[in-house]
Amino acid sequence: MLLSFSSLQKQFEFEDSEQDFVEILIEFALNQVELLIGRKLELKERIAYFDGGMNRLFLPCTPLITASVFEDKTRAFLDESKLDQSEYFIDENQGVIELYESSFLPGKKTIKVLYTAGYTEENLPGIIKKAISEIVLSAYSKNIDRAYGKKSISSVNGTSVTYDFEMNFETKKNIEKLRFMNL
């Protein structure tokens, strides 16, 4: 889990008896943030396939920890189809692998990348921690207040605004900026 119960317990003074419920809310919040950003965040081993003939491979998760590239027209991707690390460059922060040879096997999914990427609680960017915390607190408060659904506010000039208040506007704006850039 990218954000532990104990870190949120210190921040919001949750009771020990609420741990299971809060952990469900953390998972929910993480899923919401990943949907906004458009990528998975948790550190784990992943596989991506690419069409041949390309020399730049853009991986869907960053930051990269390790990566191995395999090229195989038969799609068996055995150890002997693994490229030597001298045949490509890895940009860990951008999540890009640049193949030095531009004439790799053409065809659909002839390149496989086995990689480890993502974050742990220790290196998760602060803005993502903040967004997860705000969503958890909002969902927790709604449960305590039995206030489900949308929230409606009327201004002094008579305008009524309805929204589901999960995180503050500034946090959401900053999270949405991460969608178009690598973390």
Side-chain angles (χ1 to χ4, degrees):
M1 191 170 293
L2 272 179
L3 207 53
S4 66
F5 170 74
S6 60
S7 66
L8 291 181
Q9 185 179 29
K10 293 173 194 167
Q11 188 177 359
F12 300 122
E13 299 178 6
F14 294 128
E15 299 293 325
D16 289 339
S17 61
E18 298 173 306
Q19 181 172 354
D20 290 341
F21 177 64
V22 172
E23 286 177 347
I24 290 169
L25 295 179
I26 293 170
E27 279 298 314
F28 166 75
L30 176 61
N31 288 332
Q32 294 299 309
V33 170
E34 287 176 339
L35 283 172
L36 281 171
I37 294 174
R39 70 175 68 107
K40 296 291 184 182
L41 297 171
E42 196 162 12
L43 177 67
K44 67 181 190 177
E45 190 171 273
R46 303 167 191 282
I47 298 174
Y49 293 93
F50 298 91
D51 295 343
M54 302 169 56
N55 68 339
R56 279 203 164 145
L57 311 175
F58 296 90
L59 297 169
C61 188
T62 58
L64 289 175
I65 309 302
T66 63
S68 298
V69 180
F70 297 82
E71 176 193 35
D72 194 344
K73 192 168 183 90
T74 66
R75 292 171 190 81
F77 301 110
L78 303 173
D79 283 341
E80 47 279 358
S81 66
K82 183 177 178 181
L83 298 179
D84 186 82
Q85 286 186 335
S86 65
E87 297 180 72
Y88 56 90
F89 168 75
I90 301 174
D91 183 335
E92 293 90 359
N93 291 324
Q94 296 298 313
V96 177
I97 296 176
E98 188 167 343
L99 305 169
Y100 295 134
E101 183 69 40
S102 61
S103 61
F104 282 96
L105 293 171
K108 295 283 186 190
K109 296 186 178 182
T110 58
I111 299 172
K112 171 183 165 183
V113 179
L114 179 63
Y115 68 107
T116 304
Y119 293 98
T120 63
E121 186 169 6
E122 292 76 34
N123 69 352
L124 188 66
I127 187 63
I128 295 174
K129 286 181 182 178
K130 182 177 181 186
I132 292 170
S133 298
E134 288 180 11
I135 293 169
V136 166
L137 185 60
S138 176
Y140 178 85
S141 298
K142 285 180 182 181
N143 186 62
I144 296 299
D145 296 343
R146 306 257 186 249
Y148 303 104
K150 303 290 182 184
K151 186 174 191 173
S152 181
I153 294 179
S154 297
S155 67
V156 286
N157 65 3
T159 305
S160 180
V161 179
T162 303
Y163 58 95
D164 192 3
F165 190 65
E166 294 180 340
M167 69 179 89
N168 77 43
F169 178 74
E170 190 69 28
T171 304
K172 187 169 184 175
K173 189 170 78 172
N174 288 330
I175 285 291
E176 287 174 342
K177 286 179 188 175
L178 298 176
R179 182 173 189 78
F180 302 105
M181 60 191 276
N182 285 325
L183 302 173

